[in-house]
């Protein structure tokens, strides 16, 4: 007898991940990974490039499972909210033709991060890596804070911390107040002489990632007792808590207290960031309950796909954050 399965897809800056699981058991999945990120261009996320990678990976998983159908697919992608117009227009027909898929959800990666972290419960999730975005819901509407990119926001994220650390290093190099000799030493060990940093950094197209690569050095200096580094992380914690507070459902909406989950690579920094962050969350969100994320964005994609397949999706639909095309059952 054919077993109904669902596909979850996570597309981000580090590549594409595709997972296949039974519709009723999304926690147990087989996964295929591509290290090639899906391209974006003037028209947004490249539909053809996504399909070139996704379809062979999906067929490999289906062949491995043997004798199964795909009842639902959920695709979470970085840039889906702002760059996903072509995906929303073209993927439903393409996946119906190629995989026979009749139920599809197209989600921003912040939504799949939310679903992976909290499932379908009301609350708030802060996803922080190179950038930072907070997303919250009372299961009626979505509320978003930050995620504006490293030039306009992402306050408290990896690029923000790394840039602040490099600025403090250059202040020490110049002899200005607010500098850190410890950060200067770390900067020169990573990037070379201070005077060469602008030439090597400014022309790069991956500046946010380069800046974020210095965030762990700020954490190490803070752990070693550098006060300037500790102050940078305290400021980052304040920004992160502010974003969480902006999207967290109120105590009226969630009488039992809002759950706030933290997800993303930034939080692997550990105590130098998490200790001040817990203090900020306690001060700004006294009714909230901080907790670790239960799963990652791929987990969230599978959960959304499974909920679609079983008619149990409770997360609010949204034209760009969580787009569920009209039922393709005809």
């Amino acid at each position: 007898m054919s077993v109904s399965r669902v596909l979850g897809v996570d597309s981000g800056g580090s590549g594409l991940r595709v997972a296949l699981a039974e519709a009723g058991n999304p926690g147990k999945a087989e996964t295929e990974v591509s290290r090639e990120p899906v391209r974006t261009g003037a028209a947004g996320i490249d539909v053809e490039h996504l399909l070139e990678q996704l379809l062979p990976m999906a067929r490999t998983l289906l062949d491995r499972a043997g004798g199964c159908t795909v009842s639902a697919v959920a695709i979470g992608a970085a840039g889906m909210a702002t760059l996903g117009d072509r995906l929303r227009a073209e993927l439903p027909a393409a996946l119906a033709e190629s995989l026979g898929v009749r139920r599809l959800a197209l989600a921003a990666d912040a939504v799949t991060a939310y679903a992976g972290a909290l499932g379908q419960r009301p609350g708030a999730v802060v996803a922080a890596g190179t950038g930072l975005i907070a997303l919250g819901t009372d299961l009626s509407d979505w509320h978003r804070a930050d995620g504006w990119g490293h030039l306009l926001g992402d306050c408290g994220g990896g690029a923000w911390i790394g840039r602040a650390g490099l600025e403090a290093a250059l202040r020490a190099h110049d002899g200005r107040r607010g500098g850190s000799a410890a950060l200067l030493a770390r900067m020169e060990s990573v990037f070379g002489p201070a005077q060469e940093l602008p030439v090597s950094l400014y022309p790069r197209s991956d500046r946010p990632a380069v800046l974020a690569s210095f965030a762990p050095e700020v954490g190490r200096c803070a752990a070693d007792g550098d006060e300037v580094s500790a102050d940078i992380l305290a400021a980052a914690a304040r920004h992160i808590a502010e974003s969480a507070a902006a999207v967290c459902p109120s105590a009226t909406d969630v009488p039992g207290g809002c759950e706030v989950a933290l997800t993303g690579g930034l939080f692997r920094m550990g105590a130098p960031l998490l200790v001040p962050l817990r203090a900020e969350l306690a001060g700004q969100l006294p009714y909230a309950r901080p907790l670790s994320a239960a799963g990652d964005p791929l987990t969230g994609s599978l959960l959304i796909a499974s909920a679609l397949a079983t008619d149990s999706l409770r997360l609010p639909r949204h034209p760009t954050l969580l787009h569920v095309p009209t039922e393709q059952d005809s």
Side-chain angles (χ1 to χ4, degrees), residues 163-181 184 187 194 228:
R163 190 213 58 80
L166 291 172
E167 179 188 344
L170 292 173
R171 284 180 173 274
H173 175 269
D174 294 346
R176 290 178 287 152
R177 288 189 302 173
S180 164
L184 176 60
M187 182 192 76
V228 172

Side-chain angles (χ1 to χ4, degrees), residues 130 150-151 159 198 200-213:
T130 296
H150 76 292
L151 292 178
S200 63
L201 177 63
Y202 289 158
R204 296 185 62 152
S205 60
D206 60 345
R207 284 188 300 276
V210 176
L211 292 171
S213 71

Side-chain angles (χ1 to χ4, degrees), residues 136-236:
T137 184
D138 57 4
L139 300 185
S140 296
D141 297 296
W142 290 106
H143 302 282
R144 164 190 161 165
D146 214 336
W148 300 119
H150 76 292
L151 292 178
L152 299 175
D154 287 355
C155 299
W160 187 96
I161 291 171
R163 190 213 58 80
L166 291 172
E167 179 188 344
L170 292 173
R171 284 180 173 274
H173 175 269
D174 294 346
R176 290 178 287 152
R177 288 189 302 173
S180 164
L183 286 171
L184 176 60
R186 293 290 177 95
M187 182 192 76
E188 292 188 327
S189 70
V190 173
F191 295 108
Q195 60 270 21
E196 296 178 7
L197 180 59
V199 176
S200 63
L201 177 63
Y202 289 158
R204 296 185 62 152
S205 60
D206 60 345
R207 284 188 300 276
V210 176
L211 292 171
S213 71
F214 196 67
E217 302 294 340
V218 179
R220 293 184 188 103
C221 287
D224 291 340
D226 181 59
E227 292 185 5
V228 172
S229 298
D231 287 345
I232 290 170
L233 296 183

Side-chain angles (χ1 to χ4, degrees), residues 217-294:
E217 302 294 340
V218 179
R220 293 184 188 103
C221 287
D224 291 340
D226 181 59
E227 292 185 5
V228 172
S229 298
D231 287 345
I232 290 170
L233 296 183
R238 184 170 62 253
H239 287 306
I240 295 168
E242 287 168 353
S243 290
V247 303
C248 194
S250 69
T252 302
D253 293 329
V254 186
C258 174
E259 293 179 317
V260 179
L262 307 175
T263 185
L266 183 67
F267 298 115
R268 290 197 290 268
M269 188 181 295
L273 177 61
L274 292 179
V275 169
L277 178 54
R278 291 188 188 107
E280 286 288 345
L281 288 171
Q284 295 190 40
L285 282 169
Y287 64 92
R289 301 195 309 277
L291 72 163
S292 299

Side-chain angles (χ1 to χ4, degrees), residues 60-127:
T60 295
L61 290 168
L62 290 167
D63 289 345
R64 193 182 302 160
C68 63
T69 59
V70 178
S71 55
V73 176
I75 298 176
M80 180 72 79
T82 54
L83 300 171
D85 285 348
R86 283 195 63 204
L87 297 190
R88 288 183 284 272
E90 299 178 32
L91 275 184
L95 292 178
E97 179 181 354
S98 58
L99 297 177
V101 174
R102 305 177 76 83
R103 297 187 179 189
L104 172 67
L106 299 174
D109 57 344
V111 170
T112 53
Y114 184 102
L118 288 181
Q120 299 200 81
R121 305 192 301 275
V125 170
V126 179

Side-chain angles (χ1 to χ4, degrees), residues 44-61:
I45 300 171
D46 189 326
V47 178
E48 290 79 11
H49 191 224
L50 173 64
L51 290 171
E52 284 172 10
Q53 295 193 74
L54 169 59
L55 294 179
M57 295 164 74
R59 291 184 181 115
T60 295
L61 290 168

